[in-house]
C-alpha cells in the first residue's frame, strides 16, 4: 500500500505564500510521477503541477511562474511552493502518485489539504 500525507495548507491573504508537503510511505516504488492536483467546490479535480522520475516537470498554465514543485528523494517527499497566491487558488490540494511505469501506472491519492486565499 501507498500512503501519501499532505501538510502545509491553511489560510493566507492574497499575494501571500504557502508551502505544501507530501510525504510518501509504504510500498511506493517504482515511482513514475508525483504531483499535486486541486479541487474547488463544484469543479473537477485539476492538475496543478507534477514531476516525473525522469525529471520532467509540468505546470498548469494558471500557476506557471508562481508555483514551484520539487522533491527530496531521500525523504520520499514532494513539495509545492506557492507564491503570489490568488483567491482563485482556493481549493483542496491533493497529493498524487503514479506508481509504475510510463506504460502502466496505478493512482494513489492523499487525503487532501485545504488552501484558502482570502483577505
Amino acid at each position: 500500500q501507498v500512503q501519501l500525507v499532505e501538510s502545509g495548507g491553511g489560510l493566507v491573504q492574497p499575494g501571500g505564500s504557502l508551502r505544501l508537503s507530501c510525504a510518501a510511505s509504504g510500498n511506493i516504488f517504482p515511482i513514475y510521477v508525483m504531483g499535486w492536483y486541486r479541487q474547488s467546490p463544484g469543479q473537477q479535480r485539476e492538475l496543478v503541477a507534477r514531476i516525473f522520475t525522469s525529471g520532467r516537470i509540468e505546470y498548469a498554465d494558471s500557476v506557471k511562474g508562481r508555483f514551484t514543485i520539487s522533491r527530496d528523494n531521500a525523504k520520499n517527499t514532494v513539495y509545492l511552493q506557492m507564491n503570489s497566491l490568488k483567491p482563485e487558488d482556493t481549493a483542496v490540494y491533493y497529493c498524487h502518485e503514479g506508481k509504475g511505469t510510463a506504460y502502466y501506472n496505478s493512482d494513489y491519492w492523499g487525503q487532501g489539504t485545504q488552501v484558502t486565499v482570502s483577505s
Side-chain angles (χ1 to χ4, degrees), residues 66-107:
R66 300 188 297 122
F67 291 11
T68 302
I69 189 170
S70 62
R71 67 187 179 196
D72 184 332
N73 291 332
K75 296 181 179 180
N76 295 326
T77 299
V78 65
Y79 304 96
L80 185 69
Q81 178 66 43
M82 305 185 293
N83 299 327
S84 302
L85 282 160
K86 304 175 181 179
E88 50 263 42
D89 295 317
T90 295
V92 178
Y93 283 69
Y94 295 92
C95 181
H96 168 263
E97 179 188 342
K99 177 183 173 181
T101 69
Y103 302 100
Y104 180 81
N105 54 85
S106 301
D107 294 318

Side-chain angles (χ1 to χ4, degrees), residues 9-38:
L11 172 64
V12 64
Q13 292 186 343
S17 299
L18 282 175
R19 188 175 84 151
L20 305 183
S21 300
C22 173
S25 63
N27 188 17
I28 65 174
F29 296 109
I31 299 173
Y32 171 58
V33 61
M34 290 194 71
W36 294 92
Y37 289 70
R38 66 187 181 188

Side-chain angles (χ1 to χ4, degrees), residues 49-71:
R50 59 185 178 179
I51 181 166
F52 294 84
T53 299
S54 66
R56 185 171 101 243
I57 292 176
E58 296 178 350
Y59 293 99
D61 288 342
S62 59
V63 307
K64 284 180 180 177
R66 300 188 297 122
F67 291 11
T68 302
I69 189 170
S70 62
R71 67 187 179 196

